[in-house]
Each structure stands twice: as structure tokens, then as C-alpha cells.
Amino acid sequence: QVQLVESGGGLVQPGGSLRLSCAASAFMLDYYNIHWFRQAPGKERQGVSCISANDGSTDYADSVKGRFTISRDNAKNTVYLQMNSLKPEDTAVYYCAAENKYLHCSVSRREYDYWGQGTQVTVSS
């Protein structure tokens, strides 16, 4: 069974940090572009970041650029999203997703083959 499982969400204060993890099973994520997207109540899904399978190139939404970092550990079949300097507007359910592409990922592309159950991130004092 193909599965992606997110973890690491929680409640943090503004300015705090979280590291989200996305663990894959039944497939090797190194053959897929991996995305993080988020959805807040009443809002459309927003692409946050992605990392390409071929060369590790990355893309970020303007709203998170300079604060978030995506990375992968192929040995652990896991992708991470390090989130620093968190803001209340970052509050959302965060999902990881696998796209059956391997080159030049873009957060504007939202055609996913697999995705997880999501993990809640709440930024509030």
C-alpha cells in the first residue's frame, strides 16, 4: 500500500520553529518530486515548497521564502520541511505529496499522485 505519513506539527508561538517530516512507504520517494502544500479554513490549497527528484532543485512560495527549507533523506525515504520564524498566517494543515515528475518542480503545479493525511500547524501566542 502506497502511503505518505506526515508528522511534527503542533502549537508554536510566533517566531518559533517546527520541523515537519514526511515518511514514504511502498515506493521510493527519490523517483518523485515531493511537495508540501497547506490548507487553512476557508482558503484554497497553497503550494508551499517542493524538491525535485533529479537534482534536488527546490521551489518556495514567496510567503515562506527565506523562512522554510525543504530537504530529503533518501536513505530514510523521508522528506522534511524546516519552518523557522513562524507567523500566525502559517497556521494550516500541512500535507506532503508525491508528483510523478523528476525535474524542475514548481509550487504552482498541483498535480499529485499521492498525499498524506496532513499534520496541523498552529502558530499563536
Side-chain angles (χ1 to χ4, degrees):
Q1 180 180 353
V2 173
Q3 189 174 35
L4 292 167
V5 178
E6 302 94 334
S7 62
L11 174 64
V12 297
Q13 297 183 181
S17 297
L18 285 173
R19 188 178 74 159
L20 306 184
S21 299
C22 174
S25 63
F27 73 101
M28 298 299 177
L29 58 77
D30 53 320
Y31 294 111
Y32 293 80
N33 291 345
I34 304 298
H35 296 247
W36 287 95
F37 67 90
R38 65 189 182 187
Q39 188 166 26
K43 299 183 67 176
E44 297 294 320
R45 291 185 176 185
Q46 179 189 28
V48 175
S49 185
C50 63
I51 184 165
S52 299
N54 186 57
D55 60 3
S57 63
T58 59
D59 191 31
Y60 297 91
D62 288 343
S63 60
V64 308
K65 195 169 298 182
R67 299 188 296 119
F68 291 10
T69 303
I70 189 171
S71 62
R72 67 165 73 220
D73 186 340
N74 288 338
K76 294 185 176 183
N77 215 28
T78 300
V79 172
Y80 304 96
L81 184 68
Q82 179 67 47
M83 306 186 296
N84 298 327
S85 301
L86 284 162
K87 304 175 180 179
E89 51 263 45
D90 295 318
T91 296
V93 178
Y94 283 70
Y95 301 84
C96 68
E99 176 196 14
N100 190 23
K101 300 290 183 180
Y102 62 92
L103 191 63
H104 304 314
C105 77
S106 170
V107 297
S108 298
R109 182 177 175 88
R110 295 175 55 193
E111 298 180 6
Y112 310 130
D113 293 282
Y114 309 104
W115 55 90
Q117 84 290 346
T119 185
Q120 176 70 49
V121 172
T122 302
V123 185
S124 176
S125 60

